[in-house]
């Protein structure tokens, strides 16, 4: 039977083989995002909540802006400006993943999630002129802006990046310096 450190080494070896593992994860995020958006559009009426629990609804919304509908009132210019920004960030993340040291799989995972989310929303923005949102969380009379799988992947990826920078990388640096 493998020890925990042998299992961890095996996982690291598998994940470190190629950046294509990370691009595949990004692709899965894109596919899941697009499938769920298509289901939401087919099954939901615009702005008509379907209660799932007391704090969670499915509500079809269209967001022509960025997060929290920022820039939504730019008269269409946000489509191209935000699209160019998302495309540039996606290219930068793709290169970042390719150049990343193979042992930094936590950072690569985070970047893959952000990349998949960015491309999922970029696709909507360029094709439709808005991003399809459908997940709504609320409580005590407050509603968090509707979001989607791409937004969730970006948020989780950003959280992992922060965790990695604050906790994992300093430990690795201490180990390397010792």
């Amino acid at each position: 039977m493998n020890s925990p450190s042998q299992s961890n080494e095996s996982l690291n070896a598998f994940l470190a083989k190629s950046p294509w593992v990370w691009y595949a994860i990004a692709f899965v995020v894109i596919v899941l995002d697009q499938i769920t958006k298509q289901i939401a559009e087919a099954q939901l009426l615009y702005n008509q909540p379907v209660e799932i629990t007391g704090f969670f609804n499915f509500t079809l919304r269209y967001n022509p802006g960025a997060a929290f509908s920022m820039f939504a009132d730019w008269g269409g210019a946000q489509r191209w400006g935000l699209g160019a920004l998302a495309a540039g960030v996606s290219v930068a993340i793709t290169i970042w993943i390719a150049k990343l040291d193979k042992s930094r799989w936590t950072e690569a995972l985070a970047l893959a999630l952000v990349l998949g989310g960015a491309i999922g929303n970029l696709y909507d923005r360029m094709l439709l002129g808005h991003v399809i949102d459908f997940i709504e969380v609320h409580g005590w009379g407050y509603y968090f802006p509707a979001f989607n799988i791409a937004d969730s992947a970006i948020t989780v990826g950003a959280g992992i990046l922060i965790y990695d920078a604050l906790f994992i990388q300093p430990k690795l640096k201490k180990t390397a310096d010792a």
Side-chain angles (χ1 to χ4, degrees):
M1 183 175 235
N2 289 344
S3 71
S5 65
Q6 287 173 323
S7 296
N8 199 19
E9 287 173 22
S10 298
L11 175 65
N12 285 341
F14 169 74
L15 296 174
K17 286 185 191 253
S18 162
W20 290 104
V21 170
W22 309 115
Y23 301 144
I25 290 171
F27 181 74
V28 168
V29 169
I30 295 164
V31 169
L32 288 174
D33 177 61
Q34 290 302 309
I35 288 171
T36 56
K37 288 173 179 175
Q38 287 178 7
I39 292 169
E41 281 213 301
Q43 299 295 319
L44 301 172
L45 297 174
Y46 186 79
N47 210 27
Q48 297 297 312
V50 174
E51 186 175 334
I52 305 302
T53 69
F55 61 89
F56 176 75
N57 297 338
F58 285 136
T59 307
L60 181 63
R61 301 262 169 85
Y62 300 137
N63 181 359
F68 310 111
S69 295
M70 289 187 303
F71 317 119
D73 59 352
W74 279 18
Q78 73 275 18
R79 178 181 193 174
W80 306 109
L82 294 172
L85 178 64
V89 167
S90 296
V91 168
I93 291 173
T94 300
I95 294 167
W96 185 354
I97 290 171
K99 292 184 174 195
L100 196 58
D101 181 77
K102 305 303 182 215
S103 66
R104 297 180 71 167
W105 67 268
T106 309
E107 185 176 346
L109 172 62
L111 292 170
L113 293 172
V114 172
L115 178 62
I119 293 172
N121 281 341
L122 173 63
Y123 179 84
D124 283 10
R125 187 174 314 287
M126 299 292 40
L127 189 69
L128 306 170
H130 59 261
V131 173
I132 299 168
D133 292 324
F134 62 92
I135 302 168
E136 187 176 65
V137 178
H138 58 90
W140 302 282
Y142 296 100
Y143 283 78
F144 189 79
F147 57 98
N148 56 46
I149 300 300
D151 298 334
S152 300
I154 291 168
T155 302
V156 170
I160 293 171
L161 272 176
I162 292 166
Y163 180 83
D164 180 69
L166 292 176
F167 301 106
I168 296 174
Q169 293 311 314
K171 275 187 189 177
L172 293 176
K173 184 167 175 21
K174 280 183 186 177
T175 304
D177 291 345

